Every structure is written in C-alpha cells, then in structure tokens.
Amino acid sequence: MADLFAAAPSDTPPSGPRPLADRLRPARLADVIGQEQVLGPDAPLGAMLAAGSLSSLILWGPPGVGKTTIARLLADETDLHFVQISAIFTGVPDLRKVFEAAKIRRANGKGTLLFVDEIHRFNKAQQDGFLPHMEDGTILLVGATTENPSFELNAAVLSRAQVLVLNRLNSADLERLAQRAEADIGRDLPLEDGARAALIEMADGDGRALLNLIEQVTAWKDDKILTTDTLTTRLMKRATKYDKSGDEHYNLISALHKSMRGSDPDAALYWFARMLKGGEDPRYLARRITRMAVEDVGLADPQAHRICLDAWETYERLGSPEGELALAQALTYLALAPKSNAGYVAYKAATRAAAKFGSEPPPKHILNAATAMMKDQGYGAGYAYDHDAEDGFSGQNYFPDTMSRETYYQPVDRGFERDLKKRTEYFATLRAKRNSGKN
C-alpha cells in the first residue's frame, strides 16, 4: 500500500513514455484551464490563497475538469505535504496509517493536505473518521466527488469544509487545451475545421478525454488532413454522462419537466432524447410525462391526461424503439398545450385545510339518515335536493358548520379552464343570490 499514500512525484521524470494528459498537467494554479469561478482573484480559492488561509474543501464536478490537479497545486502553493488516496481502494486500517503519518509530520512542523478521490464512496463511519483530524489541524482535507455532496456526504463533514463547484469545460476551454497539446506535440492536428470542432464535441466537456482523443489522432500515420466523416468513423464518441440513480438523473428530469412547463417542445424533446440515450427506462419517462399532464396542464386541456396514458400504453404494446415515438409525441403535445396548475394548487390547499379541520363533522343536512334514530337526531333535515331547485342549484353550504366557506380552485383564463372559470363564477353568483335571500 506504500504507493497509495505517495506524495507528489519528484522533479525527476520517470523513464519511458508519458501520456499526453500527464505531460500537460499544470505546474501552477494559474495554468489551470477553466474554473475561473473558483480560481479567480475574487473567487473562493483565489481569496483564500491571497489571505494565506486555506480551509478544508470538497471539489464537486464531472470527470476531467481538474479536481486532482487543483488539489495537488494547492498543496504546492501552501507548502503542505500532498497525500492522495482513493475511497475505492482505502479501508479504515489504511486511513489510520494516513492519520498517524500526518500526526508525525505535524509534530515535525509540516502540514498535510489529504486529497480523497471519490470521497462519496466512503460510508458514514469512514467519513466520521476524518472529523477529529480536521478539527485539530492534523490534516487539511480536500475531497473530490462527482456526486451531489448534499446527498452523499455527512452533514458533519460538510459543516467543516467548503464545497466548490467545478464546471465541465466549455468549447473555448477545450480549444485552449488542444492548442497546448499541439505545442507539446510540435505540430498541428491533421484536422479540418469541422473535424476539429467534432473532436472537441466528442470530449463532452472532459479535458482528460480530449487529450486521450488527441493522442489517438496523432498516432495515426496519415499525411492528409482528416475530414469530419473520417474522424467520426475512426473514433467512438465519448459515452454521454448520465447516472440513472444519481444527480445527473435528477438534473435532466428537472430540465425536461421545466422545458415542457415553459412550452418549449424542442428543449423538452432534447432532454427526453438525452435521458433515453443515457439509458433511462422509458417507463419512468412515461410515468413522469403523465404526471406533467396532471400537474402542469391540468384542466386547461383535459384530454392531455388521456393522450399521455394512451402513449404509455402504446409503448407497452410496441416496446422500443417505436414506443418512444409515442412518448415523444405526448411530450410535444404537453409542451404546446395550455397550462394550468389550478387543480394541483386547489388539491394542496384542500389537503392543508383537511389537516387543520380534520375532526369537524359534515353539516347535518347532508348526513345520510339511514335509521329512524338518525332522523330524530336531525340527520338530513333541511337538505335541498339540487335537481328540484331553481337552475338545478340549491346554493346550500357543504362545509362543516364551524368553518367559513373557503375557495381552493381558481381556474385560469386559458384553454378549457376558461370555460370552467365561467362556470365557477356562475355558481358563485347563484350561491350569493340564494344566500342573500335567506338573510
């Protein structure tokens, strides 16, 4: 296990060829491409380093954006001994050895920056083991994770560390990285402009992936400039980043739902396709699309719900890939349908009222008088049969006697709810008329 806890490599280069990603590893924080929101002069790390006070950190971001590099360079900038471990390969006995070595180092006047890759893979007990050593200054913890720390890390660890979000590299960042690679290689990549853009797109925001792709391109023995078609034929596109049970799952379903709610069918279809391409279960999407119809379209278009159920059934009958088309069409219909959450809001308001007045009985005039004794108690007395009333509407009170009348459903002036709004206003007017005659 000795190499597991190794410090930064010495200045003596190892024998044998080094991968391009290793050769281009930045030597200073100023050389890191991207992440200005973290490394800039007024950004969190820039401010900490300027003040000479670095706290424990959690670096949260996708693969290939510089988490390990930043941690290593922070140790250099603060003159701390750098120790790197991976939560995948490290157990409690290994952690004890790391902490003991850090204590000895501290006694000799040298601090330790402990970098924990994939820190979210440690269980609660292992995460709790860091706390006393963070508090007494034995280690300065820098954890790296691709998962949402709010869900994956203990509150106690999070309270002692600052979470910094690292972003996927944009096209400009990746182009700068490609130019650095060309300078290291000593020649331009043999790519047409379109092929170069395609190469950067293939990396999908991952700097390490881009450098690996560039190494493949430079290894080809070609004298001619490569076209986009040639490049895409020879290279496999990097797999789409997607975790069906993790943070990316919730990010994409949120984007899909909000695009539909925002009446943008094109964006909704894009996120729908992204989720399918990432391996999402179409049945999950069918359920969520049906939920959208109920929650966001509602009674503004009552047939939207039925269309979603029909699309779901069509998927069950056809399967993949034809069944996904029915779901896509239902999603498109929802995006273009009039929107109303009035029914959803009304239901939540009624639920709150039911919790507040949950023990109040119905008024006696609408109770069922099933026995003579019930009739003697006044059950059903004074009930007005609406079909016998003027306009087929009695206007009687149906709330508990101890409650004042409340209004939960307030339809919007869109789609079919425009008609429902007229009906609610009509009955409200009649109710007021009937009740005014009783006063």
Side-chain angles (χ1 to χ4, degrees), residues 71-339:
R72 189 181 295 276
L73 295 177
L74 283 175
D76 292 343
E77 299 245 353
T78 54
D79 195 30
L80 294 173
H81 185 82
F82 182 78
V83 177
Q84 177 176 351
I85 63 175
S86 170
I88 299 174
F89 303 111
T90 307
V92 172
D94 302 316
L95 286 174
R96 290 198 190 100
K97 293 178 184 178
V98 171
F99 297 143
E100 287 301 318
K103 286 179 182 178
I104 295 171
R105 210 174 287 120
R106 184 185 180 205
N108 292 326
K110 184 74 171 179
T112 300
L113 187 151
L114 174 60
F115 176 64
V116 183
D117 199 14
E118 304 283 350
I119 190 171
H120 61 277
R121 293 184 180 272
F122 275 138
N123 61 34
K124 183 180 186 301
Q126 290 170 315
Q127 291 182 34
D128 285 343
F130 290 102
L131 300 179
H133 308 291
M134 295 168 66
E135 291 175 346
D136 67 13
T138 299
I139 62 168
L140 189 145
L141 175 68
V142 178
T145 178
T146 57
E147 303 296 327
N148 190 329
S150 300
F151 303 139
E152 302 294 339
L153 297 184
N154 291 356
V157 172
L158 290 178
S159 70
R160 293 163 175 80
Q162 183 169 349
V163 176
L164 301 181
V165 180
L166 304 187
N167 299 328
R168 66 192 298 275
L169 302 182
N170 60 34
S171 296
D173 295 331
L174 293 172
E175 173 58 32
R176 288 173 57 199
L177 189 57
Q179 291 173 10
R180 282 192 188 176
E182 289 173 324
D184 179 84
I185 296 166
R187 63 186 176 92
D188 293 341
L189 294 173
L191 301 173
E192 293 181 350
D193 290 345
R196 189 183 186 92
L199 183 74
I200 288 174
E201 182 183 343
M202 285 180 182
D204 195 23
D206 185 330
R208 188 185 306 109
L210 176 65
L211 295 177
N212 291 338
L213 291 171
I214 288 174
E215 279 200 302
Q216 293 182 56
V217 171
T218 55
W220 296 336
K221 306 302 181 183
D222 280 296
D223 296 328
K224 59 182 180 180
I225 303 299
L226 302 177
T227 65
T228 303
D229 288 343
T230 303
L231 180 75
T232 54
T233 298
R234 295 186 182 185
L235 290 178
M236 293 293 291
K237 184 173 181 178
R238 182 171 175 263
T240 303
K241 179 179 179 287
Y242 189 70
D243 180 352
K244 288 192 289 182
S245 61
D247 199 52
E248 199 68 14
H249 163 86
Y250 295 105
N251 287 341
L252 266 60
I253 194 61
S254 176
L256 169 60
H257 196 147
K258 287 167 183 165
S259 298
M260 181 286 308
R261 183 182 293 151
S263 300
D264 189 335
D266 300 310
L269 288 170
Y270 169 76
W271 296 116
F272 176 74
R274 276 277 300 272
M275 294 187 79
L276 286 175
K277 188 173 179 59
E280 186 58 74
D281 183 353
R283 291 179 178 84
Y284 167 79
L285 291 168
R287 183 176 70 81
R288 286 298 299 241
I289 289 170
T290 305
R291 171 189 163 181
M292 294 173 198
V294 175
E295 182 178 323
D296 287 290
V297 175
L299 292 173
D301 186 345
Q303 72 174 347
H305 184 191
R306 183 69 258 169
I307 285 173
C308 292
L309 289 175
D310 288 344
W312 192 343
E313 183 179 356
T314 300
Y315 174 79
E316 296 292 352
R317 288 175 177 269
L318 290 182
S320 296
E322 295 87 352
E324 281 92 333
L325 178 58
L327 298 179
Q329 289 174 351
L331 181 63
T332 303
Y333 185 93
L334 292 187
L336 296 174
K339 308 294 190 298

